[in-house]
Amino acid sequence: MAGPALQRFRPRMADALRGYDRPRLLADLGAGLTVAIVALPLALAFAIASGVKPEQGLVTAVVAGLLVSALGGSSVQIGGPAGAFIVIVYGIVQRYGVANLLIATVMAGALLFTLGLFKLGVMIRYIPVSIVIGFTNGIAVLIALSQLRDLMGLRTGPMPGEFFAVVATLARHLGSFNPWAFAIGAGCIALLALWPRLQRRALARVPGPIVALGLLTLLAWWWRLPVETIASRFGELPRGLPPVELPSFSWETVQRLAIPALTIALLGAIESLLCARVADGLISAPRHDANQELMAQGVANMVAPFFGGIPATGTIARTITNVKAGATSPVAGIVHALVLLGVLLAAAPLAGLIPLAALAGILMFVAWNMFEGHQFSRLRLFSPGYRLLMVGTFTLTIVFDLTVAVEVGLVLSCIFFIWRMGQLFSVRPHAAPPGAALPPGVHAFELYGSLFFGAVGKIEALPEQLPPGTRAVVLAMQRLVLMDSSGLDALAQLQRTLQRQGVALVLADVNEQPLALMRKTGFEAVLGAENIVPSLAAALDAGPGSMPSAS
């Protein structure tokens, strides 16, 4: 028997360039340049907040951004370092070190590619929205918390990775508050919030982050403000891409990094496919290919670490910017990566002048946009299970980490789903058809829903409901849509229990799936084909003496 067909590797670029002309090229060039301007400060800020060097963020935006656009399944998706990864990457760096982060990223890339290759992209959609909202809001809170040090200019040294330890460290160092740094950070947030209202038509295409960063960097340099900059903390940024290199690793290292790699892959898959779905609603191009997108994300995360890059995924803010700037194909994403490469080659040292407080302001604004506070005010409209999943995932993400939050959330969602499906299954007394009557000692019941492992208790309790003198039980199964092996086992146990009591079991109007399972497992032969009838009416038409007795 042939196995399932694998996903064909066909990037969207192959179809998007059909009929490609000069107007589309000019539109993509303009969009790519605009996105690159937006991506520059974000790449630096995400890298610094993740506990790695700022140039690693730029390298990721260049290498991963190029590969995601060239090989992906979306026409407008922009790949690169993302805010959602900050907490995860920082935790891995603190626990395992930067070298092992690169190895875990390669492993995550291999997992992502495998998911796409085996057409498992659709599985990501099965993660409940309550879990996605919970961890997204939790990540937003953690990003904001991680930026308080640079926003207030605190002299804390290296920050811990745990929530309560971070709070305690910040509280201990409040005495080192730097009002100049706070003024720069607060000014950055205010400018980002007000820029859409202040800009005129001539500045309509100038992104707010680059305006805020450029203006505040110039002010800090001109007035020689006593604030930390990228250069004062990390040194001057190197020009160009670093040489290809990956730390040596062993099978023991791979085993130790399995959970971090799985976390990166899971978050990367969720973020990239959510981003692609958002983009689909904004463009007229064909919908994204989820499996091709996962394979492209996998390649990007396998390649970027060889240049020192960190985890990458699809980024909603940059993708939406790309769409609004007029992108028509993946060419815009490629242009964005090439422009960033030009910055890295020609102007990297200038980035050393950027105040860290300004980058903290940008990330605080990102966190504010990520945080969906209205979702908490709407919780009263949803079921207790939804509330528990969302609030629980949110709390666990903050207190522990994303891996624990998603694992616990998925387990709870499975339990709630099983419970709800079990509640939908019922066994109800069934009256005789019009014009007919059940013979004395014959009792009929109708099964509703799905008879699976979460609902077998209702079948097991059936013998206790039978009055004395019962000689046959008829189960009408026309509304039983599904039965699994546990349900069939419960049915077989019911047949044995009734047989010991001298009561026959008859199944009427059995649907295709349950009947096929009975035949495949041999239960039909055990019960007797004569005890599986087309309908209750057909059994009664044969007369009162036609009801079988237990053998």
Side-chain angles (χ1 to χ4, degrees):
M1 181 181 295
L6 300 179
Q7 171 74 14
R8 183 178 63 155
F9 192 87
R10 183 177 177 82
R12 179 57 54 87
M13 177 78 80
D15 300 316
L17 292 184
R18 292 178 181 173
Y20 198 72
D21 52 19
R22 187 171 180 273
R24 289 183 63 192
L25 174 61
L26 294 177
D28 285 337
L29 289 174
L33 178 60
T34 302
V35 177
I37 293 173
V38 173
L40 176 62
L42 292 177
L44 294 169
F46 291 156
I48 293 172
S50 299
V52 298
K53 297 178 180 179
E55 61 264 27
Q56 290 180 265
L58 279 178
V59 167
T60 305
V62 171
V63 178
L66 178 66
L67 292 173
V68 167
S69 294
L71 306 179
S74 170
S75 298
V76 294
Q77 176 108 291
I78 300 295
F85 276 130
I86 288 175
V87 178
I88 302 300
V89 173
Y90 190 84
I92 294 174
V93 170
Q94 292 294 308
R95 181 175 298 182
Y96 302 99
V98 175
N100 284 327
L101 167 67
L102 303 182
I103 297 172
T105 304
V106 174
M107 294 169 58
L111 287 173
L112 285 168
F113 188 88
T114 303
L115 286 175
L117 181 64
F118 286 93
K119 300 184 177 181
L120 297 177
V122 68
M123 298 294 291
I124 303 301
R125 299 180 183 177
Y126 295 155
I127 297 177
V129 66
S130 54
I131 294 179
V132 175
I133 293 173
F135 76 66
T136 301
N137 282 286
I139 288 172
V141 171
L142 291 175
I143 290 174
L145 181 67
S146 70
Q147 296 310 299
L148 289 178
R149 175 185 67 163
D150 289 335
L151 185 71
M152 297 188 293
L154 304 183
R155 300 285 183 173
T156 64
M159 292 290 289
E162 295 78 19
F163 173 76
F164 294 109
V166 171
V167 173
T169 301
L170 292 173
R172 284 197 309 269
H173 293 84
L174 285 176
S176 61
F177 176 76
N178 185 336
W180 293 108
F182 183 75
I184 288 176
C188 182
I189 296 172
L191 189 55
L192 290 174
L194 296 174
W195 181 249
R197 303 177 186 177
L198 296 177
Q199 60 187 159
R200 300 177 179 177
R201 289 188 178 181
L203 302 174
R205 298 177 70 90
V206 180
I210 202 67
V211 173
L213 204 63
L215 179 60
L216 293 170
T217 300
L218 181 62
L219 291 176
W221 173 79
W222 183 262
W223 287 339
R224 301 293 191 269
L225 297 181
V227 294
E228 267 197 297
T229 64
I230 290 179
S232 66
R233 182 180 294 181
F234 299 99
E236 186 177 287
L237 269 65
R239 297 175 184 266
L241 296 174
V244 176
E245 184 180 2
L246 187 70
S248 60
F249 62 95
S250 62
W251 176 244
E252 181 182 355
T253 303
V254 171
Q255 290 177 307
R256 191 157 51 95
L257 296 175
I259 296 300
L262 181 61
T263 303
I264 294 172
L266 178 63
L267 184 57
I270 294 172
E271 285 287 311
S272 63
L273 296 187
L274 283 178
C275 177
R277 289 177 64 183
V278 170
D280 286 341
L282 301 175
I283 60 176
S284 58
R287 292 181 58 83
H288 74 280
D289 182 337
N291 297 311
Q292 180 63 41
E293 187 63 32
L294 287 183
M295 288 195 290
Q297 299 286 342
V299 172
N301 281 284
M302 283 190 286
V303 173
F306 285 89
F307 297 90
I310 58 178
T313 186
T315 56
I316 292 179
R318 276 160 277 176
T319 298
I320 292 177
T321 300
N322 192 37
V323 172
K324 291 183 176 180
T328 69
S329 76
V331 171
I334 295 175
V335 170
H336 131 270
L338 294 178
V339 170
L340 289 177
L341 177 60
V343 172
L344 195 60
L345 292 172
L350 294 178
L353 301 175
I354 297 175
L356 294 179
L359 293 178
I362 290 175
L363 287 183
M364 292 292 280
F365 192 72
V366 169
W368 173 258
N369 287 329
M370 283 181 66
F371 188 76
E372 300 176 283
H374 66 280
Q375 296 290 352
F376 291 92
S377 63
R378 297 175 65 242
L379 279 176
R380 65 183 185 279
L381 305 176
F382 297 98
S383 66
Y386 181 97
R387 298 175 200 168
L388 179 60
L389 281 177
M390 180 177 154
V391 176
T393 306
F394 172 74
T395 304
L396 290 173
T397 299
I398 293 174
V399 176
F400 293 98
D401 59 45
L402 179 65
T403 306
V404 173
V406 173
E407 287 174 351
V408 173
L410 288 176
V411 170
L412 288 177
S413 65
C414 289
I415 292 174
F416 289 145
F417 177 76
I418 292 168
W419 180 81
R420 286 195 299 269
M421 292 298 293
Q423 293 299 107
L424 292 175
F425 175 77
S426 62
V427 181
R428 306 177 188 177
H430 189 56
L438 293 174
V442 176
H443 298 277
F445 299 88
E446 188 164 18
L447 307 187
Y448 290 81
S450 299
L451 180 53
F452 72 113
F453 65 90
V456 295
K458 297 178 181 179
I459 287 291
E460 294 169 348
L462 190 59
E464 301 172 4
Q465 304 173 24
L466 302 177
T470 300
R471 64 186 182 87
V473 171
V474 181
L475 298 181
M477 303 177 69
Q478 68 268 25
R479 289 185 172 86
L480 183 71
V481 296
L482 179 69
M483 182 169 63
D484 69 357
S485 57
S486 296
L488 180 61
D489 183 70
L491 204 60
Q493 181 62 42
L494 174 66
Q495 188 266 339
R496 290 191 293 269
T497 301
L498 295 177
Q499 188 178 47
R500 286 195 297 269
Q501 298 175 0
V503 179
L505 177 64
V506 178
L507 307 181
D509 201 4
V510 184
N511 283 318
E512 181 179 352
Q513 188 274 333
L515 184 59
L517 183 61
M518 294 177 192
R519 289 172 176 169
K520 183 179 179 180
T521 58
F523 178 71
E524 181 186 37
V526 173
L527 181 64
E530 70 279 4
N531 290 340
I532 301 179
V533 297
S535 66
L536 177 58
L540 296 180
D541 287 343
S546 65
M547 281 295 172
S549 59
S551 55

